[in-house]
Amino acid sequence: MFRIQCRKLCYFSRVLDSTVTILALNLSASLKFISTTTTTKNSSDRHSFTVSYLVNSCGLSEQAAGSASKRVHFVTSKKPDLVICFFRDHGFSNAQITKIIRVHPNILLCDTDKTLKPKLEFFLSAGVSSPDLAQIIFRDPGTLLRSLENQIIPSFEFLRGLVETNEDVIKIFKNFPRNSMWAIRNYMVPNIAALRHHGVPEALISILLAHPSKLLRRPDRFNEIVKEVKEMGFDPLEASFVSAIRVIAGLSKSTWKAKLDTFRKWGWTEDEILSAFRKQPQCMMLSEKKVVGVMDFLVKAMGLEPSVLAKCPSILTYSLDNKIIPRCSVIQVLLSNGLIEKDFSLATLVISSEESFLKRYVARFKGQFPQLLKVYQGQTDWRECTN
């Protein structure tokens, strides 16, 4: 009998334990559900408010606002309103404010007095006008998130040591690529040191600073470029040296090879290509379409040898329709009628001013060929005036 009672007590104990466990599990699940639901609801509300504010108050599109809301969250408009008012008070347009917030939406949560104001005041004290300041920040909004003492001021002072005036520094800042302030210390400083090591004068370095992106290459790659330019025969004391650096630094190795191939197709030798590049580095920045168009006209229509153009690469940089064809058409008429010698200077022909060209090649022969001006203006085909 006693054993039976014990078995009953054990049974009821197990049932009670199971019941308590089930109730505990259910309660835990319920609490977890309530917590998750509340958190999800709060997160959803915060997300919804942020998106709505970014669209209605900042001018972002629904898609841009959705993307920006992943990086910034707020449930009241107090701080964002202060930031927007701050920008407007400092002359930023609505379009500029929209772009700044789209790029760096977390700026909306910055303390205007502690974070934003000191940086703008520094630039204004350095002589930056409000419109220029707005352009600098618009171009690189990340500047406002940089340290004033550790990055902005040292960067400004470094550049000021390379140029003559604060205005020159401002011009450099206005041309800086986005998010590149940090690169001054890590990239620009060693790259400028490399130029000095190779004997490039400060005056030429300051010219290169007008295109700061070229000085923001990895130091190892920039050193390669400087050595390549030197090996090509460029003089570090000449402006063409930094021009060549600008060109090569602006092209990938594959693009550079493609440029060389374009000239090889027209029969230029390696020496001719190098000579042309030394005379006019910008010829390597021209598109294949541009090069082919000019070469095709001058070689096929004008009958010039490709090697002649290699000696005068500057002609490739001029407009085919507005300068080369009109002037060469006049020359063709004069040549075919024996009025000028064939040994004319192609460079002088294209580079001379319009007034000089008209006086020398059109007005001078107006009596023999009154239609020369119409040929020059494209109203008459030059072929109609040839013998």
Side-chain angles (χ1 to χ4, degrees):
M1 180 70 179
F2 177 75
R3 261 187 289 202
I4 294 174
Q5 292 297 330
C6 285
R7 279 200 298 270
K8 286 183 179 181
L9 286 173
C10 290
Y11 170 77
F12 285 120
S13 176
R14 286 196 298 273
V15 171
L16 180 60
D17 288 344
S18 299
T19 303
V20 170
T21 301
I22 292 171
L23 288 174
L25 290 173
N26 288 338
L27 179 59
S28 175
S30 299
L31 290 173
K32 185 177 180 180
F33 173 77
I34 293 171
S35 175
T36 303
T37 302
T38 303
T39 302
T40 303
K41 184 176 184 301
N42 290 339
S43 177
S44 177
D45 290 344
R46 184 168 66 248
H47 177 78
S48 178
F49 180 84
T50 302
V51 171
S52 177
Y53 186 89
L54 291 171
V55 171
N56 298 322
S57 299
C58 304
L60 273 66
S61 66
E62 289 280 355
Q63 183 177 1
S67 177
S69 67
K70 297 176 182 178
R71 291 180 285 164
V72 64
H73 300 287
F74 44 85
V75 293
T76 72
S77 64
K78 183 178 180 180
K79 186 168 281 190
D81 283 346
L82 288 175
V83 171
I84 291 176
C85 288
F86 175 83
F87 282 129
R88 286 176 178 158
D89 289 343
H90 283 81
F92 288 75
S93 68
N94 288 336
Q96 289 173 326
I97 294 172
T98 297
K99 192 276 181 86
I100 290 171
I101 294 171
R102 185 173 66 248
V103 175
H104 286 290
N106 48 333
I107 283 178
L108 286 172
L109 297 181
C110 286
D111 187 307
T112 55
D113 289 330
K114 294 180 179 180
T115 303
L116 303 182
K117 187 177 179 180
K119 292 161 188 174
L120 267 60
E121 286 183 341
F122 168 76
F123 282 111
L124 292 171
S125 68
V128 182
S129 66
S130 292
D132 282 343
L133 178 57
Q135 185 176 341
I136 290 171
I137 302 302
F138 175 72
R139 187 176 182 86
D140 186 5
T143 300
L144 294 173
L145 302 176
R146 301 290 175 187
S147 168
L148 178 61
E149 291 76 16
N150 297 328
Q151 289 183 297
I152 296 177
I153 293 178
S155 296
F156 193 96
E157 291 178 346
F158 171 74
L159 295 173
R160 183 66 181 82
L162 298 173
V163 295
E164 295 182 359
T165 66
N166 282 358
E167 288 71 23
D168 294 326
V169 178
I170 295 166
K171 289 178 183 177
I172 297 171
F173 267 108
K174 288 168 66 176
N175 289 326
F176 254 78
R178 182 186 300 174
N179 296 330
S180 58
M181 180 79 69
W182 63 272
I184 291 180
R185 178 183 300 173
N186 298 331
Y187 286 13
M188 185 175 282
V189 171
N191 289 343
I192 288 178
L195 292 173
R196 288 171 175 158
H197 173 75
H198 287 279
V200 180
E202 297 297 318
L204 295 184
I205 292 176
S206 65
I207 291 175
L208 197 55
L209 279 169
H211 308 273
S213 62
K214 305 301 183 291
L215 284 167
L216 297 176
R217 293 277 178 173
R218 290 192 335 268
D220 57 339
R221 174 56 184 150
F222 188 82
N223 266 296
E224 286 179 8
I225 292 172
V226 174
K227 290 178 182 178
E228 287 174 18
V229 170
K230 208 168 183 179
E231 290 170 358
M232 289 177 182
F234 287 90
D235 186 348
L237 299 178
E238 300 291 335
S240 59
F241 189 87
V242 294
S243 294
I245 289 176
R246 280 175 49 199
V247 170
I248 298 179
L251 301 172
S252 65
K253 290 185 178 181
S254 60
T255 302
W256 173 260
K257 183 179 181 300
K259 301 284 184 183
L260 297 178
D261 290 340
T262 298
F263 290 109
R264 290 185 184 117
K265 290 176 183 176
W266 286 94
W268 284 17
T269 65
E270 300 303 312
D271 287 341
E272 285 175 332
I273 294 174
L274 180 57
S275 174
F277 182 53
R278 281 200 295 259
K279 290 178 180 178
Q280 178 50 270
Q282 289 302 311
C283 70
M284 288 297 180
M285 294 297 290
L286 301 173
S287 67
E288 181 179 2
K289 180 180 179 181
K290 165 71 170 172
V291 172
V292 170
V294 174
M295 296 285 281
D296 192 65
F297 174 78
L298 293 175
V299 172
K300 295 181 180 178
M302 289 290 293
L304 297 175
E305 291 295 326
S307 58
V308 172
L309 302 179
K311 296 175 182 177
C312 182
S314 293
I315 195 171
L316 298 171
T317 65
Y318 288 92
S319 169
L320 180 63
D321 295 326
N322 297 330
K323 182 163 281 192
I324 297 175
I325 290 178
R327 295 191 178 192
C328 287
S329 296
V330 168
I331 295 301
Q332 279 289 62
V333 172
L334 298 177
L335 282 172
S336 65
N337 288 279
L339 295 174
I340 61 171
E341 297 296 329
K342 197 168 185 177
D343 60 350
F344 63 90
S345 170
L346 184 61
T348 302
L349 170 66
V350 177
I351 295 172
S352 61
S353 67
E354 183 173 19
E355 180 182 0
S356 176
F357 177 83
L358 289 174
K359 182 179 180 180
R360 185 172 182 178
Y361 295 107
V362 178
R364 179 182 170 191
F365 303 101
K366 186 177 179 181
Q368 296 98 316
F369 286 96
Q371 64 272 47
L372 268 181
L373 183 59
K374 290 187 176 181
V375 171
Y376 180 72
Q377 295 172 340
Q379 299 174 16
T380 299
D381 192 318
W382 63 269
R383 297 175 184 83
E384 298 176 9
C385 305
T386 58
N387 290 329

